[in-house]
Amino acid sequence: MGFENGKREKIHFIGVGGIGMSAQAMHEHFTGKEVSGSDPYSSERTQYLRSLGIKVYDKHEETNVEGVDEVVMTPAIPKDNPEYVAAIKNNIKITMRIDHFRRILEPFKGFAVTGTDGKSTTTSMLANSLINLGADPYVFLGALHNKLEHGNYRKGSEETKVVVYELDESQPGFEQFCPDYLIITNIREDHLENYRDLEHYYSCFETLIKNSKFVVTFADEGKYKGHATFGLYSGDFKMVERKQEGFRQIVTIITPWGEKKLFLPVPGYHNALNALAVVTLLSSVGYNIDDVLNSFHDFTLPGRRFNVSYDNPSRKLTIVDDYAHTAEEVEVLLKTAKEVYPDRKVVVIFQPHRYTRLKREAERFSKVLQLADEIYVTEVYGAFESKNGASARKIVESIPKAIFVEQLDELKNLKFEDGAVYMFVGAGDIYNVSQEIIKVLSVQ
């Protein structure tokens, strides 16, 4: 694999530090190809790739693709990128990341997870269960998880040929995948700026459903009915009761095999629903339901999903990092915090992600943030989008006593109260600030 006439195939990834690109680069590395990549943004992933022996350049230069057989890139790479220009000039094969990913998946029996919310957590739950059930899957995850040997990637068995992967619905093209088994967590209109219109957005989901052999859908939403369904109020598998006990919860579910109990070692009703989706899929396609329920016993959440980064029992001071970036995700996060810490003050420091989402959901963000006892909102993390006059001040102006943080460095001056839980929330670089603050608190 990766060899032709004794010569190792060379493949280069432009923007290799991305969560998706890095996993694909690792897969090619472990299957015998000579892998390189470039990324001007140093990150934990670029450092990890280097530790595996993958050459990672910190500048985009024409010489980086000399002797390369294939270049993998995303549509976000500008057409004047020196490596792209060199690949065109030298007739090097150029493949879009999504097409490269589909090619990787072709030989495998695929378990995919897509949807607006909960993809990474549900994918990690599915992977965790299949590992515990002996399937020994390959895994491609859009986050880092301690169950996976390489964080966002796991090399599985060549005998079972099973793969679990997260399928990002934010851009058209995801509908071209053909998983054997598919979970759709939910469908909300979050990335419409990338689609022609709402009809185009839904048509992509419809195509994906047609391309999949067995589909699990969220019954309460009612948009599409899969081969098996789950929900709170309806569905083949239904959650009827949930008891939160600190970080653990006991979930009672109705199944085709009668009432069952799921002991889940992570908090939040949204995570109970994520787990229920996994139970629905695996028990519907032949796994013993009791074995599936037991497979959650050691589950932990992926990175930046209700991640307790700092906890000082003597001060009752806690810092939680979370990737939540849609209004619905922020809402369930804050409700979960209130459940886990019922007698403590909850402070949210929220960094909105993307100007298009801010414009679309500003009113909803204003409402859900008020579930916290104290509110700080930073300026938007643009994620390469143009500002177009938008500002997170719009959220703050509609929330009594909320504080606007124009520069992230201002957060380092926060006075951390004993007895409070501080939630650093967002999909941007807010996490870097919380980690700097934790370093200071840890030596005080």
Side-chain angles (χ1 to χ4, degrees):
M1 298 175 67
F3 294 82
E4 195 171 304
N5 300 323
K7 175 181 174 291
R8 292 178 72 191
E9 186 178 345
K10 295 182 179 180
I11 184 167
H12 180 84
F13 293 81
I14 305 178
V16 74
I19 200 73
M21 286 288 237
S22 58
Q24 289 170 220
M26 281 188 274
H27 180 80
E28 297 288 34
H29 171 74
F30 289 121
T31 52
K33 293 182 182 177
E34 186 174 335
V35 176
S36 63
S38 58
D39 206 310
Y41 302 101
S42 178
S43 66
E44 181 275 339
R45 283 293 86 185
T46 57
Q47 293 170 30
Y48 187 76
L49 293 174
R50 287 189 176 106
S51 76
L52 296 175
I54 295 173
K55 178 68 176 176
V56 179
Y57 302 95
D58 57 12
K59 291 181 181 177
H60 294 304
E61 296 179 329
E62 286 193 20
T63 54
N64 295 347
V65 298
E66 286 181 0
V68 165
D69 299 302
E70 182 178 13
V71 167
V72 179
M73 58 181 281
T74 73
I77 301 299
K79 294 300 184 283
D80 61 352
N81 178 284
E83 294 169 13
Y84 174 75
V85 171
I88 293 288
K89 184 169 65 178
N90 294 293
N91 294 315
I92 297 171
K93 179 181 179 182
I94 298 172
T95 307
M96 289 295 115
R97 185 193 79 83
I98 194 168
D99 298 320
H100 176 260
F101 191 28
R102 287 208 330 272
R103 191 175 78 206
I104 285 175
L105 299 172
E106 280 176 2
F108 296 98
K109 179 189 291 185
F111 289 78
V113 177
T114 195
T116 311
D117 305 301
K119 287 185 296 293
S120 294
T121 299
T122 306
T123 305
S124 60
M125 284 178 171
L126 181 56
N128 187 84
S129 290
L130 283 170
I131 291 168
N132 288 343
L133 291 165
D136 198 8
Y138 282 77
V139 182
F140 293 83
L141 182 65
L144 301 181
H145 197 278
N146 58 18
K147 185 87 169 188
L148 307 184
E149 182 183 358
H150 302 289
N152 57 331
Y153 174 75
R154 181 183 192 269
K155 188 177 186 299
S157 166
E158 280 296 307
E159 293 181 10
T160 58
K161 282 284 185 182
V162 170
V163 65
V164 177
Y165 60 99
E166 182 173 340
L167 188 50
D168 180 12
E169 89 304 346
S170 65
Q171 297 271 0
F174 75 98
E175 75 281 359
Q176 298 170 22
F177 286 72
C178 300
D180 294 273
Y181 308 106
L182 173 69
I183 291 173
I184 302 178
T185 57
N186 67 343
I187 303 175
R188 291 190 302 100
E189 300 79 23
D190 184 39
H191 291 282
L192 294 184
E193 66 276 6
N194 297 329
Y195 292 83
R196 292 191 301 272
D197 49 33
L198 190 59
E199 184 179 349
H200 180 211
Y201 179 72
Y202 285 128
S203 71
C204 288
F205 277 99
E206 289 165 6
T207 300
L208 177 64
I209 289 169
K210 289 176 184 175
N211 287 344
S212 307
K213 293 179 182 175
F214 191 95
V215 182
V216 168
T217 55
F218 183 34
D220 296 351
E221 205 167 53
K223 286 188 174 72
Y224 302 106
K225 189 178 189 305
H227 299 90
T229 58
F230 69 99
L232 278 169
Y233 309 107
S234 57
D236 304 315
F237 292 72
K238 190 162 58 174
M239 183 165 65
V240 292
E241 188 180 22
R242 190 177 65 86
K243 292 181 181 177
Q244 187 76 47
E245 298 176 351
F247 265 73
R248 293 173 55 85
Q249 54 182 317
I250 303 169
V251 186
T252 304
I253 59 177
I254 299 297
T255 79
W257 297 272
E259 186 174 291
K260 298 285 183 178
K261 298 282 187 185
L262 170 62
F263 296 87
L264 196 60
V266 295
Y269 87 87
H270 59 303
N271 285 323
L273 274 177
N274 292 336
L276 184 56
V278 173
V279 172
T280 300
L281 174 60
L282 294 181
S283 58
S284 295
V285 299
Y287 286 94
N288 178 278
I289 188 168
D290 295 317
D291 292 340
V292 174
L293 293 169
N294 291 334
S295 70
F296 288 87
H297 74 277
D298 62 345
F299 178 73
T300 57
L301 290 167
R304 294 184 71 184
R305 272 70 176 179
F306 213 94
N307 176 222
V308 179
S309 301
Y310 176 84
D311 194 47
N312 187 327
S314 63
R315 293 184 60 181
K316 277 197 170 181
L317 174 60
T318 303
I319 291 179
V320 174
D321 284 292
D322 199 279
Y323 192 75
H325 55 285
T326 69
E328 184 163 302
E329 288 170 344
V330 173
E331 179 180 13
V332 296
L333 170 67
L334 293 176
K335 285 180 176 178
T336 300
K338 289 288 189 176
E339 277 190 348
V340 176
Y341 303 106
D343 303 318
R344 294 171 65 181
K345 179 179 181 179
V346 173
V347 181
V348 64
I349 302 101
F350 175 57
Q351 181 187 49
H353 184 260
R354 295 184 182 273
Y355 295 103
T356 50
R357 185 179 290 114
L358 173 71
K359 287 182 177 180
R360 189 170 57 244
E361 295 197 58
E363 187 176 332
R364 181 106 166 87
F365 278 126
S366 298
K367 181 180 178 182
V368 302
L369 286 168
Q370 293 183 64
L371 291 167
D373 301 301
E374 193 172 305
I375 303 158
Y376 295 84
V377 179
T378 78
E379 191 51 280
V380 178
Y381 182 84
F384 305 108
E385 288 187 347
S386 59
K387 191 169 184 178
N388 289 331
S391 172
R393 285 184 187 274
K394 184 176 181 180
I395 298 175
V396 174
E397 287 168 357
S398 62
I399 305 176
K401 297 184 180 179
I403 297 172
F404 178 63
V405 180
E406 191 161 6
Q407 301 293 331
L408 288 182
D409 279 351
E410 295 173 34
L411 293 171
K412 295 174 186 176
N413 299 321
L414 270 181
K415 303 299 180 186
F416 288 85
E417 298 178 32
D418 292 359
V421 179
Y422 290 82
M423 315 282 295
F424 284 81
V425 181
D429 54 1
I430 186 78
Y431 176 74
N432 298 336
V433 177
S434 75
Q435 297 311 292
E436 290 179 35
I437 289 169
I438 287 166
K439 286 179 185 176
V440 174
L441 290 174
S442 298
V443 297
Q444 287 180 350

